[in-house]
Amino acid sequence: MAIFRTRTRAGVATRAAVVIGLSMAAVPTPAVASPAAGAPPVELYVAPWGKDSWPGTPQRPFATPARAQQAVRARAPRMTSDLVVNLRGGTYRLKAPLRLSEASGDSGRGGHRVIYQAYGYGTPRQERVTISGGRQISGWRPDPRLKGFWRADVGGLETRQLYVGNRRAARLTRDGAGFPGTLEATGSGYVTTSAVPRGWRNPGDIEFVYRSGYVEGRCGVSGVSASAGRTTITMDQPCWDLAQQLYGGKELLEAPTSVENSPSFGRKPGSWYLDRSRPGHHQLLYAPRPGEDMRRISVVAPVLENLVTGTGRPGRPLHDIGFRGLTFAHATWRAPSGPAGFPSAWSMYLRPGQGEDAQLLTVPGAVAFRTAERLTFEGNRFTHLGAQALELSGNSSHNVVDGNVITDVSDGGILMGVVPPDRKGTNRGNRITNNWIHHIGAEYHAASGIWDTATQETTIAHNQVDSVPYTGILSGPSDDLRGIMRRNRILDNRVFATNRLLQDGGGIYLRGEQGGSFADGAVVSGNAVTDSKHGDWNVGIYTDDSTNWVSVDRNAVYDYVASIGGCSEEWGGRPVQNVRYRGNFWDDTVPAWLARRDFPGAWPPADAQHPDEGCGDPHRLTFTGNTLLPPHDPGPACAVDTACAAVLANAGLLPSYRRQLGLP
């Protein structure tokens, strides 16, 4: 597996391989096919005021989704029509994740589906239903020692997130990451002449955050000690060693970008801290924002790490299940709090492996399915989640994710395909359409709105991805997994305001072998990718690393640092090659530090002093019928060009979805 190292040259983070073996918005109702003619669906009912001892009728509903699942399993073997579980309005606080499996009988049968939906789905009377993994926190009182803080007893609660008044609260963060005096990275952490760290309360809760280019990681502090006028900060192991493996040494770790999670960092309105100094008697501290009354406001701490999961078996996938009109909320993910921390690049992180090898893993989904087929997620909302929102992985095919809203999640939006540590799998014919994904990556910023890691015949179409810290749509695996991807389509998406925090990503980012020829390679067409001039290096349509066999047709791309381009990694036989550009509209911007080639795009050259790393010349690029927009004012120029304006008008959610969300 390739592990990444950043090196800053001319304002851009370039890569070398270090090989070590290693606000509630209405949710639109999607246009779905009508069920086949036949018997009307069998319907079950669940309500917050119900009882699990009741029969699940409209007048006597069940109380919990778990009880409805038991009833589904009893009826599924005799299905002669769809089986619909109607959830009445309210919040269902799960005590454990809802776990579905083929072996336990959760699949549809005989061509019929099991559907979990909000009561009244698809009608003006649709009720709001929340599936929550959170715990309501009450009993707040002013802290007697810390002015401006309120405190609540929470027993043995463990969480990394807190939501106050339906808003994500921030963990307490130190003003300024730097220290007075010197700071030196060592084999075990840091030595500094500053006395500041000696005053940190509960240093074992503190995390250092490291950010550079396209990577962002975290390591916890093990302890702080002082001797002979110097302060020693010992970092958690194995995190400290793993971070050096991942980042190629201590260069990125020389100083943290920020320091989080201690009550010593002062009162900041909207910030919180979980005091774990007394095991089993934890206390939450919170500094209210102006106008927040802690005796009345709703405070929710996520407890569960998964809300809904599903698994099949080889040759026996979980199948024919739908989720419609539900809100999935309040899940945490505690792995970064452990001693291995979060040494990370993209939505991936390292853990110790066998011997000297490290294992590359992927941030999981709060709603996650493996080896699943013909699942549908329609008109749902994913929010207030501590990891990725939705995962379809393993061998998962012919699933549909349509008309959902994903926002305020700690990592990415939709993850699908062969995800690390897997290196093979068949994920075919999935459709990701008409979803609005925005303001994701709230905690782990190196995240993508949609990440197709390695699939076949996937369609990603008519989505809107905006206001994200890193990449909009990422297509390609973390490592070279050749011979897997083919016939994928990225069509008519609206992508803007990407790379708002991290660079070396883009609006639509491709990497790796996408097929074996243009006939079965990737097609990127009809997308509008605009308005993201952030940092020194991001690319509207980014063909990076070893991208191969891609058609880039009839897109509108402007107001990025670079419209098109990428790093052709000549080392290891991994060049960018076989990319054709036809009928696109772009401003062909190139960053000031990079010389233009005699063909369009931003293509960093090889480094004569470091021929075994960095970038080089792309191969077999072709350009046909593309239109250059004026770099100083490309948007208005596109708007008055009939063909370019048509791309803008057609990109993003289809009109019925836009209207219901109030999008322009």
Side-chain angles (χ1 to χ4, degrees):
M1 295 183 183
I3 299 300
F4 307 105
R5 169 159 59 96
T6 59
R7 180 188 300 274
T8 301
R9 290 204 195 115
V12 61
T14 60
R15 263 156 281 184
V18 178
V19 179
I20 63 170
L22 184 130
S23 88
M24 295 293 295
V27 178
T29 302
V32 296
S34 299
V42 174
E43 303 201 52
L44 299 170
Y45 294 84
V46 186
W49 46 267
K51 295 182 179 180
D52 279 348
S53 60
W54 286 354
T57 62
Q59 294 76 28
R60 302 181 72 197
F62 300 132
T64 65
R67 177 63 183 89
Q69 180 189 30
Q70 294 177 6
V72 166
R73 289 173 173 175
R75 290 166 171 78
R78 302 183 301 278
M79 290 179 71
T80 58
S81 64
D82 285 354
L83 182 52
V84 178
V85 177
N86 294 283
L87 288 90
R88 298 300 304 265
T91 298
Y92 297 84
R93 300 196 185 280
L94 303 182
K95 295 181 179 179
L98 189 66
R99 302 188 189 279
L100 288 71
S101 73
E102 169 62 15
S104 299
D106 289 301
S107 296
R109 295 289 189 272
H112 304 294
R113 296 187 298 163
V114 176
I115 299 170
Y116 295 83
Q117 69 176 24
Y119 179 79
Y121 176 75
T123 74
R125 296 183 179 180
Q126 178 177 326
E127 297 182 358
R128 290 190 174 188
V129 175
T130 298
I131 307 297
S132 172
R135 168 182 163 187
Q136 197 81 31
I137 306 298
S138 58
W140 292 93
R141 61 193 185 277
D143 190 286
R145 294 173 298 171
L146 297 174
K147 184 178 180 181
F149 282 92
W150 287 62
R151 184 179 291 266
D153 298 320
V154 292
L157 174 71
E158 297 283 0
T159 190
R160 288 185 62 90
Q161 293 83 31
L162 189 71
Y163 299 94
V164 181
N166 204 36
R167 296 167 63 185
R168 180 182 291 251
R171 297 206 302 176
L172 284 170
T173 302
R174 185 172 180 270
D175 283 331
F179 302 99
T182 62
L183 181 68
E184 177 187 355
T186 69
S188 60
Y190 297 95
V191 173
T192 176
T193 56
S194 171
V196 169
R198 303 177 201 173
W200 291 344
R201 292 179 53 190
N202 303 339
D205 290 339
I206 292 173
E207 288 179 2
F208 283 19
V209 181
Y210 306 95
R211 182 183 307 141
S212 177
Y214 65 102
V215 300
E216 184 183 79
R218 294 168 174 264
C219 272
V221 173
S222 176
V224 177
S225 60
S227 177
R230 294 168 68 84
T231 304
T232 298
I233 303 170
T234 303
M235 303 300 291
D236 280 345
Q237 289 288 12
C239 185
W240 190 243
D241 287 345
L242 290 171
Q244 292 177 73
Q245 282 185 305
L246 182 64
Y247 304 137
K250 298 187 183 74
E251 182 179 352
L252 176 58
L253 306 174
E254 288 177 351
T257 305
S258 62
V259 181
E260 297 182 358
N261 208 37
S262 171
S264 304
F265 295 160
R267 179 183 177 274
K268 300 177 182 64
S271 296
W272 68 283
Y273 169 73
L274 178 62
D275 187 344
R276 302 161 61 247
S277 58
R278 296 177 61 210
H281 299 275
H282 300 171
Q283 293 187 322
L284 273 173
L285 279 73
Y286 178 70
R289 301 179 182 96
E292 290 180 338
D293 184 344
M294 298 308 296
R295 297 183 180 89
R296 294 182 174 85
I297 198 167
S298 172
V299 181
V300 178
V303 177
L304 300 183
E305 295 192 283
N306 299 107
L307 300 177
V308 182
T309 66
T311 57
R313 296 173 290 176
R316 294 288 302 276
L318 181 70
H319 60 90
D320 295 295
I321 302 173
F323 300 89
R324 308 195 304 197
L326 308 175
T327 293
F328 299 98
H330 309 133
T332 190
W333 182 56
R334 297 190 297 275
S337 296
F342 190 61
S344 171
W346 297 344
S347 294
M348 302 177 297
Y349 62 101
L350 281 188
R351 284 293 181 264
Q354 295 182 351
E356 295 182 357
D357 292 345
Q359 186 179 40
L360 195 62
L361 303 176
T362 311
V363 176
V367 178
F369 290 83
R370 289 181 61 86
T371 315
E373 294 188 359
R374 298 187 300 279
L375 305 188
T376 57
F377 298 86
E378 302 166 342
N380 303 291
R381 184 178 179 87
F382 298 79
T383 189
H384 302 340
L385 302 174
Q388 305 216 54
L390 175 62
E391 174 186 345
L392 297 167
S393 61
N395 295 277
S396 294
S397 298
H398 309 296
N399 302 296
V400 175
V401 182
D402 183 75
N404 303 279
V405 174
I406 301 176
T407 188
D408 189 31
V409 298
S410 290
D411 199 88
I414 299 172
L415 167 69
M416 61 178 172
V418 179
V419 305
D422 295 349
R423 295 186 61 80
K424 60 183 179 179
T426 300
N427 301 267
R428 177 182 295 118
N430 296 300
R431 297 182 61 85
I432 313 296
T433 54
N434 291 295
N435 302 285
W436 183 21
I437 302 168
H438 64 104
H439 295 92
I440 55 92
E443 186 174 357
Y444 313 116
H445 298 114
S448 301
I450 300 172
W451 185 10
D452 171 10
T453 63
T455 66
Q456 305 90 46
E457 299 165 17
T458 296
T459 300
I460 302 173
H462 285 290
N463 302 284
Q464 178 170 312
V465 183
D466 69 88
S467 307
V468 299
Y470 185 52
T471 287
I473 299 172
L474 171 58
S475 175
S478 62
D479 198 9
D480 278 344
L481 302 180
R482 302 187 181 187
I484 294 182
M485 301 190 78
R486 61 180 180 271
R487 296 190 179 91
N488 293 329
R489 302 291 181 263
I490 302 175
L491 310 174
D492 306 314
N493 299 282
R494 184 73 179 94
V495 182
F496 61 95
T498 70
N499 300 102
R500 298 180 74 182
L501 186 62
L502 300 181
Q503 59 181 345
D504 200 3
I508 298 175
Y509 186 173
L510 300 100
R511 68 183 311 276
E513 185 179 86
Q514 299 278 333
S517 67
F518 285 122
D520 71 353
V523 174
V524 181
S525 179
N527 303 281
V529 185
T530 68
D531 303 299
S532 300
K533 278 193 173 179
H534 305 295
D536 295 321
W537 177 242
N538 64 45
V539 186
I541 296 180
Y542 195 168
T543 49
D544 197 23
D545 297 333
S546 54
T547 298
N548 197 5
W549 300 116
V550 178
S551 298
V552 181
D553 296 344
R554 204 181 55 82
N555 303 278
V557 191
Y558 54 83
D559 278 337
Y560 267 77
V561 174
S563 297
I564 62 167
C567 177
S568 180
E569 296 190 347
E570 296 296 291
W571 51 268
R574 307 177 68 252
V576 172
Q577 57 187 328
N578 299 310
V579 183
R580 60 187 182 187
Y581 300 87
R582 304 181 299 187
N584 298 282
F585 302 84
W586 56 46
D587 54 5
D588 194 25
T589 49
V590 172
W593 54 264
L594 182 60
R596 286 187 175 276
R597 303 291 191 112
D598 57 2
F599 50 89
W603 306 94
D607 188 332
Q609 295 182 344
H610 301 86
D612 294 331
E613 59 184 61
C615 308
D617 295 334
H619 303 267
R620 293 184 292 280
L621 308 184
T622 61
F623 300 88
T624 307
N626 301 291
T627 299
L628 179 64
L629 301 171
H632 62 279
D633 213 6
C638 180
V640 299
D641 183 298
T642 302
C644 190
V647 173
L648 296 180
N650 187 58
L653 278 65
L654 291 172
S656 60
Y657 297 83
R658 295 187 200 179
R659 285 194 296 271
Q660 292 187 58
L661 286 173
L663 292 173

